[in-house]
Amino acid sequence: MEGYLIATWKMAFEGVKKGQDLIRQGGTIHKAIMEAVKTVEDDPSYHSVGYGGLPNLEGEVELDAAYMDGDTLGFGAIMGVKNLKNPIEVAYDLCHYKRNCVLAAAGAEAYARKGGYPFSPMLTEEAEERYKAQEKNVDTEKLEAYGGHDTVCIIGRLGDTSACGVSTSGLFMKLPGRVGDSPIIGSGCYADSEVGAAAATGVGEDIMKGCLSFAIVEKIRAGIPVQQACEQALGEHIARLERSGHKPGSMSVIAMDRDHHVGAATNKKAFPFVVGTMDGETVLFAAVNEGGNMSVICPDEAWIQAYQGD
Ligand code: GLY
């Protein structure tokens, strides 16, 4: 399977469609990725990204985002920011710098304000209701990623350029200041135009332990086909976590090589992902894991209706 764009979760469908339109109109891969991520960030019906994201233990939405340009290896990220409308815009801005390209909390917010990036309240009424209904005495050691959605990750390739952007509100009821894999280079995403790119979604603390996105890119660099690279990197990492006595949380990955071949893998039962194909279509696929055997399906309407998630 080949594409210009590949994205995590069904919720990325509209964004990928817009990204495909921009590519058709002659836009850069960066424009297409940014548009795709921003579309998810702006949609209040998704509870793990941007506006509408579920809050931390104190009821505040804290956002992380990252962008990597595979031509320059420029990496920009922000973490733990509040009330910033489109975190991905600031991450993309920062990927152009050699220093100070990863900014946290108040420093990131000050940078964004100075740059004129829009701020607005990110806690929706619905997210606040969910927070109010939630037991506050949660065991923060047992937090899990969302059932059927999490970080939006968009990978793209156009001409000789690979790139990726990711954005998330992190785990619901996380400790204030908690940062997951998304803004950590090589964990939440990695792009190298000589090879391709990979990105991860799921429990950040577990993804980070294996620098999972970098591990996939290095397998592709070694000549392993992209689908196998995804399955191998994820499988080896899960096995390593289990040998350490650790029960891995949910993790799903996507990747695209320099020839536009795409791959995806998951340790969940099913992981929907979206591909913006080379002939301009936007297609929903799902990686299905049956007892460790991975297959990729093109789900029918009945499967999509039955799927519980974004
Ligand atoms: N994968 C998103 C997070 O753990 O924050």
Side-chain angles (χ1 to χ4, degrees), residues 64 145-146 150-151 168-171 174 178-183 200-205 207-208:
D64 304 333
Y146 305 84
D150 180 58
T151 310
T168 185
S169 52
L171 299 179
K174 64 188 177 183
R178 177 267 184 191
V179 172
D181 58 306
S182 303
T201 173
V203 177
E205 287 80 354
I207 292 167
M208 282 193 269

Side-chain angles (χ1 to χ4, degrees), residues 8 10 30-31 34 39 53 56 71 73 121 162 172 204 210 229 240 260 264 268 281 293-295 297 299 302 304:
T8 53
K10 191 157 67 72
H30 305 303
K31 271 203 163 154
M34 294 295 291
T39 300
N56 67 17
D71 286 348
L73 303 185
S162 289
F172 181 32
R240 180 65 189 91
H260 299 267
K268 293 166 64 69
E281 297 295 308
N293 291 323
M294 202 81 59
S295 59
I297 62 162
I304 295 167

Side-chain angles (χ1 to χ4, degrees), residues 1 114 138 189 257 265:
M1 199 191 321
K114 208 169 159 199
V138 291
C189 68
D257 69 15

Side-chain angles (χ1 to χ4, degrees), residues 69-228:
D69 177 344
D71 286 348
T72 60
L73 303 185
F75 180 82
I78 56 173
M79 48 184 87
V81 295
K82 293 176 193 159
N83 297 321
L84 177 62
K85 187 173 172 295
N86 290 112
I88 194 66
E89 289 189 323
V90 181
Y92 177 63
D93 176 337
L94 291 168
C95 89
H96 296 92
Y97 293 94
K98 293 192 185 74
R99 301 286 184 272
N100 305 294
C101 41
V102 179
L103 299 177
E109 287 163 17
Y111 179 87
R113 281 189 200 285
K114 208 169 159 199
Y117 291 99
F119 277 74
S120 70
M122 298 302 272
L123 185 67
T124 59
E125 268 180 38
E126 192 194 340
E128 193 172 8
E129 288 309 313
R130 293 267 294 265
Y131 174 73
K132 283 182 182 157
Q134 173 70 37
E135 168 63 53
K136 302 298 179 298
N137 194 21
V138 291
D139 181 348
T140 52
E141 280 290 275
K142 291 194 177 142
L143 294 179
E144 241 299 338
Y146 305 84
H149 58 124
D150 180 58
T151 310
V152 64
C153 308
I154 314 275
I155 291 172
R157 172 93 179 174
L158 191 61
D160 292 330
T161 300
S162 289
C164 51
V166 302
S167 183
T168 185
S169 52
L171 299 179
F172 181 32
M173 303 304 280
K174 64 188 177 183
L175 287 178
R178 177 267 184 191
V179 172
D181 58 306
S182 303
I184 307 297
I185 188 167
S187 287
C189 68
Y190 195 81
D192 178 343
S193 297
E194 292 181 357
V195 181
T201 173
V203 177
E205 287 80 354
D206 289 348
I207 292 167
M208 282 193 269
K209 289 185 172 87
C211 302
L212 202 45
S213 299
F214 184 69
I216 295 168
V217 169
E218 288 309 292
K219 283 188 182 291
I220 301 170
R221 193 191 304 276
I224 297 173
V226 62
Q227 178 61 34
Q228 269 171 264

Side-chain angles (χ1 to χ4, degrees), residues 5 11-23 25 28-42 67 86 88-89 92 152 154 165:
L5 296 167
M11 66 183 171
F13 195 88
E14 285 309 313
V16 169
K17 241 168 126 175
K18 289 188 190 173
Q20 290 280 84
D21 287 345
L22 286 176
I23 291 172
Q25 290 157 20
T28 64
I29 197 64
H30 305 303
K31 271 203 163 154
I33 292 172
M34 294 295 291
E35 186 62 28
V37 176
K38 278 167 63 177
T39 300
V40 183
E41 286 182 338
D42 287 341
Y67 195 93
N86 290 112
I88 194 66
E89 289 189 323
Y92 177 63
V152 64
I154 314 275

